[in-house]
Amino acid sequence: MSLQGKTAIVTGSTSGIGQGIARALAEQGANVMLNGTSDPAKVEPFRKELADKYGVKVGYAQADVSDAAQVQAMVQRAATELGGVDILVNNAGIQHVAPIVEFPLDKWAQVLGTNLSSVFYGMQAALPHMLGKGWGRIVNIASAHGLVASVEKVAYVAAKHGVVGATKVAALETAGKGVTVNAICPGWVLTPLVQKQIDAIAKRENISNEEATKRLLREKQPSQQFVSIEEVAALTIYLCSDAAKQITGSAQSIDGGWTAQ
């Protein structure tokens, strides 16, 4: 599954799932443009580690992916500095939890901008590069919440359903042109985003973090185990490989049985 000589952009890749995907891509020989909103100095140790360990070019674009102009600039930087744009992983995401009647309007706009609009901006900017060379891979990190819903997550669920829909449209528009577009729909992965939800449950119910974790998994994920970052990264690598060249427009569940219920 070597991706030697390819160039990938991974949004939201300074922590969590995105960081794991960036590492896996570099391990397969791809040059990588990291992305986040952190100060470049904080990201430099990770950037340098990937470049040194895997012998690939690694850049960092400090860009707000909810801003179309910043996404365009990031894609252009990858093309200029790293040699092209072959792979785009739209991973950046945020969460806010509240009932619909109490959901702040600014949080609605923020979640939709970061989780959904960013996917459109990224695909719009990257696709001309891919179509121009007749090869490309787009992997949009959606969620189990792109397929089913949960209470108090109206913006997140709406955005992730939108990501799955946008993935299908892009796949149809690029079918037969050497470009595939797929979504990955993870269940609970123990990322900082999910840890915040565990902490909130523990505080609200006055229980230990261990019990809150069990409750979170028991409610949704029949396997009673977290999906690992490495598992999501491995599926991403597979979707980027030639073995998956006829997989396009799909929403790949990796959720311990969550959406089978």
Side-chain angles (χ1 to χ4, degrees), residues 135 137 178-180 182 238-248:
W135 195 96
R137 299 288 186 266
V179 176
T180 68
N182 293 285
Y238 172 68
L239 290 173
C240 290
S241 74
D242 283 341
K245 64 185 178 183
Q246 289 304 317
I247 300 177
T248 193

Side-chain angles (χ1 to χ4, degrees), residues 17-55:
I17 292 172
Q19 190 176 67
I21 291 172
R23 183 183 297 281
L25 287 164
E27 187 177 12
Q28 291 299 319
N31 301 317
V32 181
M33 178 63 78
L34 303 171
N35 160 258
T37 55
S38 300
D39 185 276
K42 292 184 178 179
V43 183
E44 179 57 20
F46 179 59
R47 188 209 65 76
K48 189 174 186 304
E49 178 197 343
L50 292 189
D52 292 349
K53 185 172 183 179
Y54 300 112

Side-chain angles (χ1 to χ4, degrees), residues 126-216:
L127 276 173
H129 295 271
M130 298 176 181
L131 292 170
K133 62 176 68 177
W135 195 96
R137 299 288 186 266
I138 296 177
V139 180
N140 296 321
I141 306 302
S143 167
H145 282 120
L147 303 171
V148 295
S150 294
V151 298
E152 299 189 349
K153 295 181 179 179
V154 63
Y156 190 84
V157 171
K160 294 301 187 179
H161 272 65
V163 168
V164 172
T167 297
K168 293 176 181 180
V169 172
L172 292 174
E173 292 184 2
T174 57
K177 298 176 181 177
V179 176
T180 68
V181 189
N182 293 285
I184 294 178
C185 300
W188 293 127
V189 182
L190 191 55
T191 63
L193 199 66
V194 171
Q195 187 60 54
K196 285 182 182 178
Q197 294 180 62
I198 293 170
D199 294 342
I201 293 170
K203 183 177 180 180
R204 184 176 68 245
E205 305 294 334
N206 195 28
I207 56 178
S208 68
N209 265 48
E210 184 180 359
E211 181 56 38
T213 299
K214 290 179 181 177
R215 186 174 298 187
L216 185 85

Side-chain angles (χ1 to χ4, degrees), residues 96-108 152-155:
H96 185 80
V97 178
I100 290 174
V101 294
E102 300 171 11
F103 210 93
L105 295 181
D106 63 330
K107 292 298 183 183
W108 167 267
E152 299 189 349
K153 295 181 179 179
V154 63

